[in-house]
Structures are given as structure tokens and as C-alpha cells.
Amino acid sequence: MNGRADFREPNAEVPRPIPHIGADYIPTEEERRVFAECNEESFWFRSVPLAATSMLITQGLISKGILSSHPKYGSIPKLIFACIMGYFAGKLSYVKTCQEKFKNLENSPLGEALRSGQARRSSPPGYYSQKSKYDSNVSGQSSFVTSPAADNIEKDMLPRYEPIPFSASMNESTPTGITDHIAQVKVNKYGDTWDE
């Protein structure tokens, strides 16, 4: 023995390191295939139907007079807007399905990162703590724990605000910083003014 106590369980699995997926990541051939498949399926099965449906609903609302048409361009601007929103809603609605496809890939660093819940890590490796097997009973949400040094930096960068004490002598109708003397101005029936 080297004098150190080993607290690991004898049959415990050593977790594999989570791959760092950043902007410089180059996808594998199988990942590229899944990207293309997701792009095509999200377009034909989600974006096109949602864009067409939103355009039909918008045209129906314009025809019934619920939405007004543009005096010069008619219903075209609203239909284009509905089409674009339907397109993006279709793409966004397919994200979970596409993530599942990547999670099912066996030898994929991207799939491994998605399975471990660390796909959007933009900081250097080791900045966040990895989820241990003891956290499995937490309601499925990943917990990010920062180092104490990061907490101190965050506290130092935030401005320190002192609370303003409440004063009963000030009310909302009186502006502060103005003297209490208010000049009395008189106006006669001809519109002439003078100070008293």
C-alpha cells in the first residue's frame, strides 16, 4: 500500500470520459448520414405539413375577416410569415426525435455525449462535475456544479447594491431634490402673469 485509502467499490464500473463536443468537432460518416436523414425527415414530415397548415389557417382567418389583409400586398405578407413560422416549428418539433437517433448510434462520440447529457458543454472539459451513479434518483434533471473558485469569481463580478431605506417623509407625488418653496403665480382674466 502507498498510504492512500482506496474508497472505490471493488466491482464498480469506471465511467468512460465524456467526449468534448465543440465547434471543432468533425462528425463521423454515420453521424453525417443521420444528420442528412434528420434534415430530410424533418423537412418532409414536419416542416412542410406545418407550413402548409399554418398558411391555410392564416388564409381562412383573412377570408373570414379576423385578420386584415395589407392594402397594397394583400394576404401575401401574412402567408409568408405563417409559412416561415410553420417551417421553423416543424424543424424544432423534430429535435427530440433526431436526438434519439443519435443516442441509438453505438460508436458515436456525439451519441455518447447526448446519452450522458453533456452535448451542449461549451466550457473546457472538467469544468462541470460528471453525474454519478448516486444521482440517478433525482427527477431526471441534470445538475451542474461549479467549482468554489468559479463561485468567488461570480460574486466578485456582480455589483454590490445597498438597500435603500424606506422613508415615511417621502411620498410618490413629491419629487426629490427640489426645494419645498413653490412660487405662486397669478393669472388675470387677460392672461397676464406675476409672482407673489
Side-chain angles (χ1 to χ4, degrees), residues 106-141:
E106 289 184 17
N107 294 324
S108 166
L110 185 58
E112 179 66 31
L114 284 171
R115 281 189 292 274
S116 63
Q118 304 291 325
R120 292 197 173 241
R121 187 182 349 174
S122 59
S123 61
Y127 184 75
Y128 296 107
S129 67
Q130 294 181 5
K131 188 174 180 182
S132 70
K133 66 179 182 177
Y134 302 108
D135 292 342
S136 62
N137 59 357
V138 179
S139 64
Q141 299 176 352

Side-chain angles (χ1 to χ4, degrees), residues 58 82 97 118 137 144 152 175 188 190:
T58 303
T97 307
Q118 304 291 325
N137 59 357
F144 293 103
N152 290 339
N188 64 10
Y190 302 109

Side-chain angles (χ1 to χ4, degrees), residues 72-93:
K72 184 176 179 182
Y73 301 111
S75 63
I76 299 296
K78 287 187 173 76
L79 291 176
I80 290 173
F81 180 75
C83 180
I84 291 169
M85 291 297 111
Y87 173 81
F88 285 115
K91 287 288 187 181
L92 287 174
S93 71

